[in-house]
Amino acid sequence: MKPPPFEYYAPTTVEETLTHLANHGYDAKPLAGGQSLIPMMNFRLAQPSVLVDLNNITDLSYIRPDGNGGVFIGAMTRHKKVGSDPLIAKQIPLVHEAIPNIGTPQVRTRGTFGGSLSHADPSAELVTVSVTLNGRFRVRSQKNERWIPAGEFFIGSFTSALEPEELLVEINLPCLPERSGWSLMEVARRHNDFALVGVAATVTLDKKGNCESASIVFLSVGDRPMQAHQAVGLLKGQKPTAELILAAAEKASSVDIDPGSDIHATAEFRRHLANVLTRRALDEAFNRAREN
Ligand code: FAD
């Protein structure tokens, strides 16, 4: 299938892009890596009459320190660049470990950080990881600029808080404090498929070795990244023993999420995977926190 006809603009600046988005509103869509948008257009699942190609805007591709140990990532930065960047590997290792799970090398060469977030796929690694890390996103329109916390950005299946005339321009990811650990665990039928279930976790220990804070977020179990608040409540202030980790995994998989069944997996199987993966992720995260 080929996409229906569309008008095509290839601006070289963000300002020009914002003008096109303001002029065309709901009819227009930004084109980033095209790894999701073009297949959706070919299948007629998306039918924008205007495409605003972001690929000539060199200003949107960068990785910079934010001055507080975190990073700023330009929206058009390709997955491949993020995955091989030494600053990301050192300061935001959860993202470094997430990138190889995204599709194939071809997808990672074209696909962009901002495109993945804007697409708001509840099975996407970067969507989940950015919520786990408490990231925030800089969004611009012709008239306005705002920062949206990752936890408020994903509002439904393939639906974000972006207005039609808004462009995601930059992502800010903070680094984890001292005595922190992280983990990303997922199960996919074949390597590089979208995960049946995945979980990203971060934990921070206090000086006595108790759990000071934690974040546990699932992918592929709901219409957006699903945060395991109840499980985190169990962990806080407690010594992270094997029993506590088992109890947190049980709480996360039985109370915090309500996965559905589809042709890939039943709800019951997804809960089982969520339980096992949470246990493994918390084990790894707490071990790393002790080492740090
Ligand atoms: P595009 O496809 O160009 O755009 C996606 C959507 O976001 C469009 O609606 C577009 O208008 C909008 N958009 C893009 N940029 C912006 C912006 N800056 N501001 C506002 N709106 C914007 N992803 C995973 O996470 N895990 C996987 O395992 C995985 N496997 C894949 C396997 C295959 C075979 C393919 C083709 C894709 C896979 N993907 C996977 C998706 C991939 O990560 C894409 O890169 C990503 O979903 C979209 O990024 P993109 O840059 O290609 O965006």
Side-chain angles (χ1 to χ4, degrees):
M1 289 270 286
K2 293 292 167 215
F6 53 86
E7 272 179 67
Y8 174 80
Y9 296 98
T12 53
T13 64
V14 170
E15 283 66 29
E16 219 186 314
T17 306
L18 298 177
T19 306
H20 289 304
L21 294 180
N23 289 344
H24 297 282
Y26 277 101
D27 294 332
K29 275 206 173 287
L31 171 67
Q35 296 304 295
S36 299
L37 181 56
I38 298 300
M40 286 182 74
M41 288 173 66
N42 287 345
F43 284 115
R44 305 294 203 266
L45 294 170
Q47 302 202 22
S49 54
V50 176
L51 279 193
V52 186
D53 189 344
L54 309 178
N55 285 277
N56 294 329
I57 310 175
T58 46
D59 288 0
L60 286 179
S61 179
Y62 56 84
I63 297 167
R64 294 184 195 129
D66 71 1
N68 295 310
V71 294
F72 288 120
I73 303 174
M76 280 299 288
T77 313
R78 313 275 173 190
H79 301 321
K80 185 178 173 194
K81 184 169 174 189
V82 175
S84 59
D85 186 82
L87 183 67
I88 297 278
K90 183 162 177 277
Q91 297 300 100
I92 323 283
L94 185 57
V95 167
H96 177 75
E97 290 182 9
I99 296 286
N101 292 294
I102 301 175
T104 57
Q106 293 87 336
V107 169
R108 297 195 289 274
T109 301
R110 290 299 301 167
T112 65
F113 208 110
S116 181
L117 299 181
S118 306
H119 191 51
D121 184 338
S123 301
E125 282 81 7
L126 296 179
V127 166
T128 300
V129 159
S130 63
V131 174
T132 315
L133 292 172
N134 239 334
R136 57 190 193 126
F137 309 147
R138 186 156 70 94
V139 164
R140 284 186 61 189
S141 66
Q142 210 175 29
K143 294 193 183 133
N144 199 12
E145 171 174 322
R146 58 184 180 134
W147 281 95
I148 308 178
E152 295 169 20
F153 187 80
F154 306 103
I155 57 178
S157 196
F158 299 96
T159 311
S160 77
L162 280 173
E163 298 294 335
E165 71 280 7
E166 284 182 324
L167 187 72
L168 171 60
V169 290
E170 184 174 65
I171 297 97
N172 180 214
L173 298 174
C175 74
L176 293 170
E178 280 185 329
R179 296 185 299 275
S180 292
W182 66 93
S183 181
L184 173 70
M185 295 275 167
E186 61 177 62
V187 169
R189 283 203 185 278
R190 296 169 303 184
H191 183 57
N192 296 130
D193 272 2
F194 280 97
L196 290 179
V197 175
V199 63
T202 60
V203 299
T204 303
L205 296 172
D206 64 17
K207 287 189 174 150
K208 292 182 188 155
N210 293 331
C211 176
E212 189 172 84
S213 63
S215 176
I216 303 170
V217 187
F218 289 99
L219 55 105
S220 297
V221 297
D223 68 351
R224 66 194 83 180
M226 302 306 287
Q227 304 191 51
H229 294 297
Q230 302 254 9
V232 167
L234 269 189
L235 293 171
K236 271 192 188 164
Q238 304 297 317
K239 183 91 33 225
T241 59
E243 292 73 30
L244 184 69
I245 288 174
L246 274 180
E250 183 60 32
K251 184 73 93 184
S253 57
S254 61
V255 180
D256 281 315
I257 58 169
D258 188 12
S261 297
D262 56 31
I263 54 165
H264 304 295
T266 61
E268 193 189 356
F269 183 48
R270 283 206 161 91
R271 274 196 205 281
H272 170 72
L273 290 178
N275 191 322
V276 175
L277 294 176
T278 307
R279 214 183 320 144
R280 291 181 188 168
L282 288 175
D283 266 336
E284 182 170 60
F286 279 120
N287 283 336
R288 283 173 160 168
R290 288 182 200 105
E291 286 162 14
N292 286 329

